[in-house]
Amino acid sequence: MMIIGYRAIARPTFSLVICDVPAISFCKPQLYSSSMNGCRFMRFSCSVSGRTVSSTSLDLSLSKDNSGNEGLQRQKASSSLYAHPSLSQIRSEKAANRARVYDFLRGIGVFPDELDGLELPVTVDVMRERVDFLHRLGLTVEDINNYPLVLGCSVKKNMVPVLDYLGKLGVKKSTFTEFLRRYPQVLHSSVVVDLAPVVKYLQGMDIKPNDIPRVLEKYPEVLGFKLEGTMSTSVAYLVGIGVARREIGGVLTRYPQILGMRVGRTIKPFVDYLESLGIPQLAIARLIEKRPFILGFGLEDRIKPNVESLLEFNVRKSLLASVIAQYPEIIGVDVQTRLCTRRDFLNSIIQLDPVGFGRVIEKMPQIVSLNNTAILKHLDFLKECGFSLEQVRKMVMACPQLLALNLDVMKLSFDYFQGKMARQLDDLVSFPAFFTYGLESTIKPRHAMIAKKGLKCSLAWFLNCSDEKFEERMTYDTIDMEEMEVESSFDMNCLLGTRTDGSDSDYADDSDSSYV
């Protein structure tokens, strides 16, 4: 028989007896107990097949006083090892930590009122790390107050991965400050889930990889758009009205804000209004291809008031479409102020009346973007050539482009006119557009042919025609006066022809600096 005994740790104590013997008769077991120094010993005895087996166990129970003290100590030890703070204690500690973080933010000028409910760092040190990182990016306390939720972004988990991704795309670090001021929400984004799919979509719109960072710098808000939302519908609408699919990449590169425009609220009303003025839809598509930023002009607060101003300055309603098609920027600038300035200036210099000023706008709407100094230089040049005030006024009304041409080129053309062509000034008064033709490419070769043939003709007859038409005229024995072409005007059909400029290859920024 094998006997295994276990000492009891807590009351009551007992001994476990395991018998490994054949099934034989047992005698009645007997239990004896005795005490010594406050400890009680128990003895278990029985007989098996004439042999007596006994086992002794120690009862760890102490006297009444000792057992009470030791039980209390064990209870205290158990509570110290396994005790958990209560829910109220957790809430109280969390509120205390948040209060300390709020005090820190108020101390540096940040208003934490909008941060309630947002998960924030539990320590001031971590919050200070976030604020310092934002400061290193160039953001000020004012910037943080404009979007305090940025303080909920972890430096390591949110800010650093996003900025690293933008840097790898090619976004310049020097633009990070303005980038984050315009769209601080990007710091909440996931690179894999939020940012990378948008970049892939932009590349699918034929935006070149090298142009992606420029697009993001111009319009960082695009990183927050849904792929199948406003972006896809705006592009689809533009293609639907005639914008060439191969031009979409260039259009979006130059003006990515289109991706955030709603068709029904912005783009379609713009197109419909221009159509109501007489501009064909396909011509509008061509204007958008060349100057996509015109879609950003507010219809109600800018475009319609500007059209009314043009009418007030004696632009004929039937020619509004021509004016806008020639210079779309005119519907987006402060027309009222600029036209007042130009009208008063020209009236004071060449005594141009309001009706005459209206004719000038119709033929060269860019007049609104010319400065008075440039205009004065051109007027002085014409006077130095010997033209009278009345002749200058007549020339400007007939060809206002004279006020925007390169003065050096004009001087060379005038010298050739007087020297080689030996014509009278009245010829230039009748056809001031002479200055708009290339001296080497058009004027000299055509004049040489005229002189060789011995023809006497007006400037308009041999200049105001295509090369093919001029070649045909050179076969004439006499000049047909019925073919004399009057002053040219803008032809809307030039916007409706087939594109041959390959403008989808280079996406230079649009500007009207030539007229400033």
Side-chain angles (χ1 to χ4, degrees):
M1 180 181 70
M2 182 173 59
I3 301 174
I4 301 176
Y6 293 88
R7 293 184 179 181
I9 297 177
R11 296 180 66 188
T13 60
F14 62 89
S15 296
L16 179 63
V17 180
I18 300 176
C19 298
D20 189 10
V21 296
I24 55 177
S25 61
F26 284 83
C27 67
K28 183 178 181 179
Q30 296 180 358
L31 185 65
Y32 304 94
S33 67
S34 61
S35 298
M36 181 182 297
N37 296 329
C39 295
R40 187 173 57 174
F41 292 87
M42 300 184 65
R43 182 179 180 81
F44 177 80
S45 178
C46 66
S47 295
V48 181
S49 299
R51 292 185 298 172
T52 300
V53 180
S54 65
S55 176
T56 302
S57 65
L58 174 63
D59 187 351
L60 296 180
S61 301
L62 302 177
S63 62
K64 185 176 182 179
D65 292 339
N66 290 339
S67 64
N69 291 336
E70 187 173 323
L72 180 61
Q73 291 174 0
R74 285 196 300 268
Q75 184 177 359
K76 290 181 178 180
S78 177
S79 64
S80 64
L81 288 174
Y82 300 102
H84 294 281
S86 64
L87 184 59
S88 61
Q89 289 176 325
I90 295 175
R91 291 176 176 172
S92 177
E93 183 178 357
K94 188 175 181 180
N97 291 336
R98 198 175 191 90
R100 284 190 289 270
V101 171
Y102 276 17
D103 289 341
F104 163 72
L105 294 175
R106 292 189 184 97
I108 62 175
V110 175
F111 305 109
D113 301 340
E114 296 185 24
L115 300 178
D116 293 341
L118 182 68
E119 185 177 351
L120 295 177
V122 296
T123 66
V124 172
D125 290 339
V126 177
M127 179 57 75
R128 181 182 290 110
E129 178 190 12
R130 294 185 182 182
V131 173
D132 291 343
F133 188 82
L134 293 173
H135 284 335
R136 288 196 297 272
L137 291 174
L139 298 181
T140 64
V141 170
E142 182 180 358
D143 297 326
I144 297 175
N145 279 326
N146 289 335
Y147 187 72
L149 298 181
V150 72
L151 296 173
C153 297
S154 167
V155 173
K156 295 180 179 179
K157 295 180 180 179
N158 301 106
M159 300 185 191
V160 172
V162 168
L163 296 176
D164 283 349
Y165 178 71
L166 294 176
K168 291 177 181 178
L169 288 176
V171 177
K172 300 176 183 176
K173 290 185 178 180
S174 59
T175 67
F176 277 178
T177 301
E178 185 60 27
F179 191 105
L180 295 176
R181 281 175 179 161
R182 291 181 56 184
Y183 189 60
Q185 295 89 336
V186 70
L187 294 178
H188 292 288
S189 304
S190 163
V191 171
V192 176
V193 177
D194 302 316
L195 305 186
V198 173
V199 171
K200 185 177 180 180
Y201 178 87
L202 294 178
Q203 292 174 339
M205 289 290 102
D206 293 335
I207 298 178
K208 298 178 180 180
N210 291 339
D211 292 323
I212 293 292
R214 305 293 85 80
V215 169
L216 298 181
E217 289 168 1
K218 288 180 180 180
Y219 194 51
E221 294 89 342
V222 72
L223 290 172
F225 293 155
K226 295 181 179 179
L227 301 184
E228 300 305 323
T230 303
M231 291 196 295
S232 59
T233 55
S234 60
V235 170
Y237 180 82
L238 292 180
V239 173
I241 66 170
V243 175
R245 183 62 183 83
R246 68 186 182 89
E247 297 288 336
I248 288 295
V251 169
L252 297 180
T253 298
R254 284 175 286 172
Y255 196 68
Q257 289 84 347
I258 291 175
L259 293 170
M261 293 181 177
R262 295 185 179 276
V263 172
R265 185 180 302 173
T266 304
I267 304 178
K268 188 176 186 300
F270 171 87
V271 173
D272 291 344
Y273 181 71
L274 293 190
E275 277 192 283
S276 71
L277 296 178
I279 305 178
Q281 190 177 89
L282 188 57
I284 297 173
R286 296 294 177 267
L287 292 177
I288 292 174
E289 290 175 2
K290 296 179 179 179
R291 296 176 175 88
F293 57 83
I294 63 177
L295 287 171
F297 298 154
L299 180 59
E300 299 296 333
D301 59 350
R302 178 63 74 183
I303 297 176
K304 290 183 177 181
N306 280 357
V307 170
E308 292 299 322
S309 295
L310 291 172
L311 295 174
E312 291 175 9
F313 281 87
N314 297 292
V315 173
R316 289 168 287 186
K317 189 174 183 179
S318 60
L319 293 178
L320 281 174
S322 172
V323 169
I324 296 172
Q326 288 182 73
Y327 190 57
E329 291 87 341
I330 200 169
I331 59 176
V333 299
D334 184 8
V335 166
Q336 185 74 26
T337 301
R338 296 191 183 194
L339 290 181
C340 280
T341 302
R342 301 298 174 271
R343 181 193 60 189
D344 295 344
F345 179 74
L346 290 175
N347 178 262
S348 65
I349 301 299
I350 60 174
Q351 300 176 5
L352 185 66
D353 60 33
V355 175
F357 184 63
R359 303 293 84 77
V360 168
I361 298 172
E362 291 171 357
K363 294 176 180 177
M364 194 186 76
Q366 292 88 342
I367 188 73
V368 300
S369 295
L370 288 176
N371 61 60
N372 291 341
T373 302
I375 294 175
L376 186 59
K377 288 181 179 179
H378 288 76
L379 294 176
D380 289 342
F381 166 73
L382 294 176
K383 292 177 181 178
E384 291 171 0
C385 291
F387 297 104
S388 66
L389 181 62
E390 183 179 352
Q391 288 176 323
V392 171
R393 181 172 62 251
K394 185 177 180 180
M395 293 172 70
V396 169
M397 288 180 59
C399 183
Q401 287 79 9
L402 294 175
L403 303 177
L405 297 175
N406 185 298
L407 276 176
D408 293 333
V409 175
M410 289 181 70
K411 291 176 182 178
L412 292 174
S413 296
F414 183 73
D415 290 341
Y416 184 82
F417 173 84
Q418 275 196 320
K420 297 293 184 179
M421 300 178 70
R423 288 178 173 257
Q424 300 299 315
L425 291 180
D426 287 340
D427 289 345
L428 287 177
V429 175
S430 300
F431 190 69
F434 167 85
F435 289 102
T436 66
Y437 291 89
L439 179 60
E440 300 296 334
S441 62
T442 304
I443 296 176
K444 285 185 177 182
R446 290 192 182 186
H447 174 259
M449 293 180 69
I450 290 290
K452 182 177 180 180
K453 198 169 182 63
L455 294 176
K456 297 293 183 180
C457 62
S458 68
L459 295 175
W461 188 85
F462 81 88
L463 288 177
N464 191 20
C465 62
S466 64
D467 290 338
E468 292 77 10
K469 186 64 176 178
F470 179 75
E471 293 290 342
E472 180 184 342
R473 287 178 177 177
M474 287 300 96
T475 64
Y476 298 167
D477 294 328
T478 59
I479 297 175
D480 187 353
M481 297 302 295
E482 292 183 358
E483 288 190 351
M484 295 290 290
E485 299 184 20
V486 295
E487 60 185 36
S488 60
S489 59
F490 179 78
D491 185 6
M492 187 71 69
N493 291 325
C494 69
L495 292 175
L496 304 178
T498 304
R499 231 179 279 94
T500 58
D501 56 0
S503 58
D504 58 330
S505 58
D506 295 312
Y507 307 140
D509 289 336
D510 295 292
S511 67
D512 57 351
S513 57
S514 300
Y515 299 102
V516 177

